[in-house]
Amino acid sequence: MVTAGAAAGAMCEDGLVSRERYTTADGKSASVYRTHVWRHWPAFKNGLTLLTCSTLIFAVGPGLFAGALWACPRPLRLLLGAAYGAHLVLSHAQHSGSMMSRWWRRLDLHLAVMEYFGYRLLVADDVELSPERHYVIGTHPHGVYALGQLPFMCTSPNNPLHRLFPFLDKTVNTGASVVFYVPGVREMFLLVGHVVVSKRTIERWLRRKHSVGIVVGGEAEVLIHRCLDLDT
């Protein structure tokens, strides 16, 4: 069993990750962590966040795919288009996680989005997690962009969650089935280890002794979101 307080004491602090002590409303001791990997690259951080965390990705992804096909000779264009269409229909990567890239998940790109939104990770000292167990991890709220999953998607050494509990790198996150049928968006989700949020798929991954992240509220909660209202 790994206790967050003990792990925090042993964790190496540097200029890329900062830690502040904090007392919760019920009097518990805790630590608040922030990353500073992209503090000297604001333009890149802002651009990456605008592209990947806005509805632009649902236009840019298919647009890039269509542009790449259009640049190909006509016979090859038809062949590649048919092959990708068959892949969308027949592939089970959104269930099996076969396209997950551990190299991609270890990049610091995901931290740029966390830093843009001022993401802070608060962990109580008495939190205990065991490397011998696997967990169903709920994040809330869903909102328009389910950014609560970011710490579990990114296994970079500069992610404070994975400095505390490195065994959580065996966590897969879940997403609505619709995102796995949008060219470009599909690949982005699959590379970071997303699978379909279905009972059958979740049970399969738990049997494989992986932890699973679920954004509670789902699409129904997205529809009640009100701009600039922190309660939704």
Side-chain angles (χ1 to χ4, degrees):
M1 191 71 70
V2 177
T3 305
M11 188 178 75
C12 176
E13 293 185 55
D14 51 38
L16 301 179
V17 177
S18 63
R19 172 193 176 203
E20 298 177 3
R21 297 299 294 161
Y22 183 83
T23 302
T24 64
D26 54 358
K28 291 185 177 181
S29 296
S31 295
V32 176
Y33 302 90
R34 298 187 67 172
T35 63
H36 309 280
V37 175
W38 296 99
R39 64 184 182 277
H40 298 308
W41 304 88
F44 178 84
K45 176 173 62 179
N46 297 348
L48 181 66
T49 303
L50 176 64
L51 176 62
T52 60
C53 292
S54 71
T55 50
L56 280 176
I57 190 63
F58 290 93
V60 173
L64 290 175
F65 176 76
L69 283 183
W70 189 258
C72 296
R74 182 178 177 82
L76 183 60
R77 183 190 314 163
L78 296 176
L79 178 62
L80 291 177
Y84 189 80
H87 169 71
L88 284 180
V89 175
L90 301 176
S91 172
H92 294 283
Q94 63 267 37
H95 301 285
S96 65
S98 59
M99 289 181 60
M100 183 192 306
S101 170
R102 297 191 180 278
W103 172 81
W104 181 258
R105 296 183 74 186
R106 285 181 60 84
L107 294 179
D108 286 331
L109 295 177
H110 314 82
L111 299 180
V113 178
M114 295 172 61
E115 292 179 21
Y116 176 87
F117 288 105
Y119 204 108
R120 293 177 297 172
L121 181 70
L122 189 153
V123 184
D125 291 347
D126 60 356
V127 170
E128 292 184 341
L129 297 179
S130 171
E132 306 302 322
R133 302 183 63 182
H134 44 287
Y135 302 88
V136 176
I137 304 166
T139 58
H140 176 79
H142 190 293
V144 177
Y145 309 112
L147 298 179
Q149 290 192 351
L150 278 173
F152 303 98
M153 290 163 41
C154 171
T155 60
S156 161
N158 295 318
N159 180 353
L161 180 68
H162 286 276
R163 289 194 182 189
L164 292 172
F165 306 112
F167 50 85
L168 286 180
D169 64 344
K170 294 183 67 177
T171 300
V172 295
N173 292 287
T174 55
S177 57
V178 64
V179 302
F180 297 102
Y181 292 96
V182 182
V185 178
R186 166 189 171 84
E187 285 71 28
M188 183 179 71
F189 274 76
L190 290 175
L191 284 172
V192 296
H194 269 68
V195 295
V196 171
V197 59
S198 68
K199 179 180 178 181
R200 182 179 178 182
T201 300
I202 291 171
E203 289 179 341
R204 176 188 300 171
W205 281 97
L206 289 174
R207 286 195 297 269
R208 293 181 182 178
K209 302 188 182 304
H210 281 65
S211 294
V212 178
I214 302 175
V215 184
V216 298
E219 296 173 358
E221 191 177 81
V222 175
L223 298 177
I224 66 172
H225 174 80
R226 296 188 296 272
C227 186
L228 301 181
D229 186 341
L230 297 180
D231 292 329
T232 60

